[in-house]
Amino acid sequence: MDVAQQYVPAASSPVEEEQNAVSDYKRMNLEQLRRAYEALLQNEQVLEMRVQKSEERRRAFMHILSDLNTLNRKLTDQRKAMIHILADYEQERSRLAKQTERLYNSRRALMHILQDSHQSNLRLGNSRKAMIHIMSDLKETTEEVKRRELELREKQEQLVQAGKLATLGELTTGVAHELNNPLNNIGLFVGNAIDLIELGMADTEPERILQELHNAMQQVRKATEIISHLRTFGRAASVSREPVGILQVIERSLSLMREQLRLRQIEVVLRFPAEEIIVVGNAIQLEQVFINLLTNARDAMINSPHKLLTIECKAQADAVSISVSDTGPGISPELEQRIFDPFFTTKEVGTGTGLGLSITYGIIKEHQGTITVQSRQNEGASFLIQLPLQFEEL
């Protein structure tokens, strides 16, 4: 017989059976509660998903409402724009109707104008033929005027050159004296060198002989400079313009006139600024201007008790002013208007050509400058020249 078959459970007591029944009931209630709890959790998840979907649908609905509101505003704006477009279209249509009417009237007027133009063309054909003859005559006249102007310019240049040569003739005495000084000095220095060599001092004092020869060469250069200046002033001036130091021009003019002024006991006072003043011009022509003014001042003071020649130069904003003043008898008011006329002179017959101031006026005018005269009877005359300055480019 098997052991299992031999095992027989012992009989339970009523109390134990009751406890077992209570335990089975508790186990059954816990299982039900667990299952109910799980069911509640599932229901809660389902409800949360429904709530989430409802919220998403609500948000989507709010976006749709916002888009519908924006679309309504755009439609409203487009409707207003369409109303304006229709109003503009109506105005444009009305304007085009009026313009069509005006064009029709203009076309009719144009037809009349074309008829008149045809008749005018016939008249213009005749006028053109007459104009051709007139233009031909005008061309010939223009060429003749140009030829005359060229001849006049050549005559003026010849006149300027003649005045310059006449001035050189007057300067001959002073220039000869200027040349005589360096020539005498050359003879002196060369004679000293010869004496030293003849005395047998060539070996003992070679430096002294060399110094005498250097001094002689310096005087040779001085004489050469004077002759070169005369040759430069005497040749015909070119028409070229270049930067010129106006103070150097005045100094060179004075160097040619200094001896004549000294012989006539004329005191010269110069009032120049410290800085160099540059103008655009022709140095030879400007030098002739100042020589003419110095010559006039020299002749005007021939009988004056006090002979003073003052040259003053002032730089202004865009021009330079040069005044040449003397202490002569001055110029009467009735002659001031004629002082720059060609061949007009207040000097005695045979002592002047009347070309100096006329040539001076022409040269200053060609340099875009002005020259005026200020004078009082028995108080001297003052010639004021104004020339434009040259400005350096930045």
Side-chain angles (χ1 to χ4, degrees), residues 5-65:
Q5 291 178 354
Q6 290 178 0
Y7 174 75
V8 178
S12 299
S13 64
V15 177
E16 290 178 351
E17 290 179 356
E18 185 179 355
Q19 290 179 352
N20 290 333
V22 171
S23 178
D24 292 338
Y25 179 77
K26 288 181 177 179
R27 283 195 299 272
M28 182 185 66
N29 287 338
L30 288 173
E31 182 68 21
Q32 290 176 353
L33 289 172
R34 185 181 61 77
R35 290 176 182 177
Y37 178 72
E38 290 178 355
L40 288 174
L41 290 177
Q42 291 178 358
N43 290 334
E44 184 182 4
Q45 292 179 356
V46 171
L47 290 174
E48 286 180 354
M49 291 178 64
R50 288 180 180 179
V51 170
Q52 185 177 0
K53 289 181 180 179
S54 297
E55 183 66 22
E56 291 177 355
R57 285 196 294 270
R58 187 183 67 80
R59 292 177 181 175
F61 182 71
M62 292 299 295
H63 286 296
I64 291 171
L65 288 178

Side-chain angles (χ1 to χ4, degrees), residues 81-334:
M82 185 63 69
I83 292 173
H84 287 296
I85 291 172
L86 290 174
D88 294 340
Y89 172 75
E90 183 63 25
Q91 293 178 359
E92 186 70 17
R93 188 184 64 80
S94 177
R95 187 181 64 81
L96 288 175
K98 293 179 181 179
Q99 187 175 6
T100 302
E101 184 179 358
R102 288 195 298 269
L103 288 174
Y104 176 74
N105 296 331
S106 299
R107 186 179 65 84
R108 294 179 61 186
L110 183 60
M111 294 299 294
H112 292 291
I113 292 173
L114 289 175
Q115 292 177 358
D116 295 339
S117 178
H118 178 67
Q119 296 177 359
S120 298
N121 285 334
L122 296 177
R123 291 193 296 269
L124 285 174
N126 297 329
S127 300
R128 187 175 65 85
K129 294 178 182 179
M131 185 63 70
I132 291 174
H133 292 292
I134 293 173
M135 292 299 292
S136 178
D137 295 339
L138 182 61
K139 182 179 179 182
E140 294 177 358
T141 304
T142 303
E143 292 177 353
E144 181 66 17
V145 169
K146 289 182 179 179
R147 187 179 62 83
R148 293 292 178 86
E149 288 179 351
L150 182 60
E151 291 180 357
L152 180 60
R153 181 173 293 276
E154 292 176 354
K155 296 297 182 183
Q156 288 176 343
E157 292 176 357
Q158 293 175 3
L159 187 63
V160 170
Q161 188 65 16
K164 188 186 299 183
L165 294 177
T167 303
L168 280 176
E170 296 180 6
L171 297 176
T172 302
T173 303
V175 172
H177 184 273
E178 289 289 331
L179 285 174
N180 190 43
N181 287 334
L183 290 176
N184 289 336
N185 292 333
I186 290 170
L188 177 62
F189 292 135
V190 172
N192 290 338
I194 292 173
D195 292 340
L196 290 173
I197 294 173
E198 290 178 347
L199 293 174
M201 302 175 66
D203 296 330
T204 58
E205 296 187 17
E207 292 83 2
R208 183 177 176 184
I209 297 174
L210 187 61
Q211 181 62 41
E212 295 292 338
L213 293 177
H214 278 305
N215 292 336
M217 286 302 300
Q218 184 178 3
Q219 296 300 314
V220 169
R221 285 192 293 269
K222 183 177 180 180
T224 303
E225 183 180 351
I226 295 173
I227 296 173
S228 177
H229 188 192
L230 281 176
R231 293 177 60 187
T232 302
F233 179 72
R235 70 169 184 262
S238 62
V239 296
S240 62
R241 297 287 187 268
E242 59 185 3
V244 176
I246 193 66
L247 304 182
Q248 296 178 359
V249 170
I250 298 175
E251 290 285 357
R252 287 198 299 266
S253 303
L254 281 171
S255 67
L256 294 176
M257 293 290 299
R258 185 171 286 109
E259 183 61 21
Q260 293 194 23
L261 298 175
R262 186 188 66 81
L263 292 175
R264 289 167 176 78
Q265 298 179 348
I266 297 175
E267 180 184 358
V268 180
V269 175
L270 302 179
R271 295 172 183 171
F272 292 168
E275 67 277 4
E276 182 64 30
I277 299 177
I278 304 298
V279 300
V280 176
N282 188 289
I284 297 177
Q285 291 181 346
L286 292 175
E287 189 173 337
Q288 185 176 1
V289 165
F290 291 107
I291 287 179
N292 289 340
L293 295 178
L294 293 174
T295 303
N296 283 346
R298 176 203 65 188
D299 296 340
M301 293 185 291
I302 189 170
N303 296 320
S304 297
H306 177 58
K307 301 177 181 181
L308 176 64
L309 176 63
T310 304
I311 303 176
E312 186 174 5
C313 184
K314 295 181 180 179
Q316 300 173 350
D318 56 355
V320 56
S321 298
I322 307 111
S323 64
V324 180
S325 307
D326 60 60
T327 56
I331 304 171
S332 59
E334 60 272 11

Side-chain angles (χ1 to χ4, degrees), residues 340-373:
F340 296 109
D341 293 344
F343 303 106
F344 176 78
T345 180
T346 58
K347 301 176 183 178
E348 297 180 359
V349 178
T351 59
T353 62
L355 294 177
L357 290 179
S358 175
I359 293 173
T360 298
Y361 180 85
I363 293 174
I364 295 300
K365 187 176 180 181
E366 287 181 0
H367 284 72
Q368 284 80 47
T370 60
I371 179 170
T372 56
V373 60

